């Protein structure tokens, strides 16, 4: 999992604004999500297992709803980054308002393996991007690189 | 929204066990979900807007991930209830273990309108049920009966 | 299944153009699809079982691909009809070109029961319509009103 | 696109039976599909553009329904191949009956680019396989390796 955000590569102030918006969404904070990858065509979060995220007390695994929520917001930040070329001339406030208009149209999640692990990483990549709609592919892995779930999301971006 | 759980109609002890399990899943508690409808072929939750569930600070609306999470667990409890005929002879512990094996295979969510509101209600209905797999349809409405999102989920039940 | 197309209710020339386009799509003709319902917010096709549509020679049922194809084009005509308010001033040629720009972004199909039957009817209804995107719900039934499959489609309309 | 079927690598008689079944499904023949890749964990078809497959007479591109149909049957043969380890001791007739019980539960298709081309190739890979359910990922490309559509399907295999 690349952490280019920490490696000084993030020269683009727009990416910094997008990261700030997503790091501070109240529900992302409730889940403990932190942006750990953010480029024009891919992005991702990391988060740590904690009791509140459990959906199956017998097996101690992530709630399916945590997984779908993480994949949704991963697709959202990916679609946002892919649309940012058209935001170049906006102020920080303008970018935040623009991001607020980006929304999920629909999403599919495939739950492949139980959500077991200590540290989780999500990644989104752009499959299609246009003036109106972006389609992204998302995946969630644990700290041992086990693929837990994949998803596909369609987002309004224009 | 029927609240047959409170109306004394819940004679089936199995339904009571299922409700207890879902009311007490850690992540359902984090979201503030309460089972408010539970029958053999449909089920639902209610929850109240709070700051932590917001995904769009500009518009003050539900995070898409909250919506997908609620629809996932709504489909889950609906699939569980539909499968419970085969749990009739199990102990309460046996039922809980059996429920723990029920899992989402995949889900689609369609976000139809912004998640605006004070009180939200989800409902799941069974579209297909079998020995191995159940398919459910879910929807989320606010207190004014505005349809916010719909979903379809496929669950392993056998 | 309403057949308002035959009942003289189709006063709108735009609906007639849409019907002509969909009845004459080469692949729709290959399947034997005929528009049998066309209103502003819902539309549908009918078709007859024939050997070429079989996908399971042991059971003699519809190929899953026939079902997905019929649901896709049913959602397409439904999205088209829902978008036609903005086509009012176009010529017949202009409408055809406009329709040609309408396309499926994504679709989910749930196969609920085997595709058994002699005569099949599909129906699409509009779940969400906007300037850019329409979301439709589709279903396929046989002549005994048995629900064989349902689907949800997202279409570019603007 | 590998054509291992022609290269003499197909030592497994079970794979030959599966290929025969899929090559001879009436609807696959109507579309002109030929199995061109068949291994335990991936499989694919090829087909050639012809007038009957057109869904958009203005642009001369594949009907969305052709695309969904090809992806559905591609996922089907992939799920079948992945389940074949449990068919090892069956007769050819037994295998055909077993295949007839494999069916799509649900599928999502994402239409990424217009279905333009002369020769098309689909590929399916296994994402999850179990005793009851297999999940496959499918894609469709044209002769220039342009990715036209992707899909995810869930199949009953047990």
């Amino acid at each position: 999992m690349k952490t280019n955000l920490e490696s000084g590569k993030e020269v683009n102030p727009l990416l910094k604004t997008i990261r700030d918006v997503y790091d501070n969404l109240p529900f992302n904070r409730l889940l403990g999500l932190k942006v750990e990858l953010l480029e024009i065509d891919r992005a991702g979060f990391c988060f740590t297992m904690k009791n509140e995220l459990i959906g199956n007390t017998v097996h101690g695994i992530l709630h399916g709803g945590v997984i779908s929520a993480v994949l949704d917001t991963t697709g959202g930040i990916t679609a946002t980054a892919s649309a940012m070329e058209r935001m170049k001339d906006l102020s920080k406030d303008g970018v935040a308002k623009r991001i607020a208009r980006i929304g999920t149209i629909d999403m599919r999640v495939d739950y492949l393996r139980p959500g077991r692990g200590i540290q989780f990483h999500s990644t989104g990549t752009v499959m299609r991007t246009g003036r109106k709609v972006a389609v992204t592919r998302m995946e969630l892995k644990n700290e041992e690189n086990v693929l837990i779930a994949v998803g596909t999301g369609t987002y309004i971006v224009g």
Side-chain angles (χ1 to χ4, degrees), chain A residues 28-41:
Chain A
N28 286 8
R29 295 178 65 140
L30 187 67
L31 296 174
L33 300 184
K34 293 293 289 178
V35 177
E36 73 168 350
L37 171 70
L38 185 54
E39 298 174 357
I40 288 186
D41 57 356

Side-chain angles (χ1 to χ4, degrees), chain A residues 10 18 34 45 51 56 75 84-85 102 107 120 123-125 151:
Chain A
E10 191 187 64
I18 293 173
K34 293 293 289 178
F45 292 92
N51 185 59
N56 187 317
M84 79 173 190
E85 290 294 336
I102 293 177
M107 176 175 60
F120 301 94
T123 322
T125 49

Side-chain angles (χ1 to χ4, degrees), chain A residues 42-83:
Chain A
R42 58 196 197 116
F45 292 92
C46 67
F47 65 101
T48 303
M49 175 58 97
K50 54 181 178 178
N51 185 59
E52 291 88 339
L53 304 184
I54 284 179
N56 187 317
T57 46
V58 176
H59 299 308
I61 56 179
L62 286 180
H63 192 291
V66 173
I67 293 170
S68 70
V70 171
L71 293 185
D72 172 53
T73 201
T74 301
I77 193 171
T78 306
T80 301
S82 82

Side-chain angles (χ1 to χ4, degrees), chain A residues 6 26 63 77 111 144:
Chain A
E6 294 156 11
H63 192 291
I77 193 171
Y111 297 84
E144 293 178 345

Side-chain angles (χ1 to χ4, degrees), chain A residues 140-153:
Chain A
L140 180 70
K141 295 180 172 178
N142 66 13
E143 74 280 2
E144 293 178 345
N145 219 30
V146 173
L147 184 62
I148 293 168
V150 295
T152 312

Side-chain angles (χ1 to χ4, degrees), chain A residues 83-122:
Chain A
M84 79 173 190
E85 290 294 336
R86 289 183 289 282
M87 299 182 201
K88 272 180 178 161
D89 304 326
L90 296 178
S91 66
K92 184 169 171 164
D93 249 35
V95 171
K97 276 181 195 159
R98 196 70 179 54
I99 292 174
R101 290 212 303 270
I102 293 177
T104 325
I105 303 173
D106 64 62
M107 176 175 60
R108 176 183 171 111
V109 180
D110 290 276
Y111 297 84
L112 301 177
R113 286 178 198 83
R116 232 182 292 278
I118 298 163
Q119 190 81 19
F120 301 94
H121 304 274
S122 69

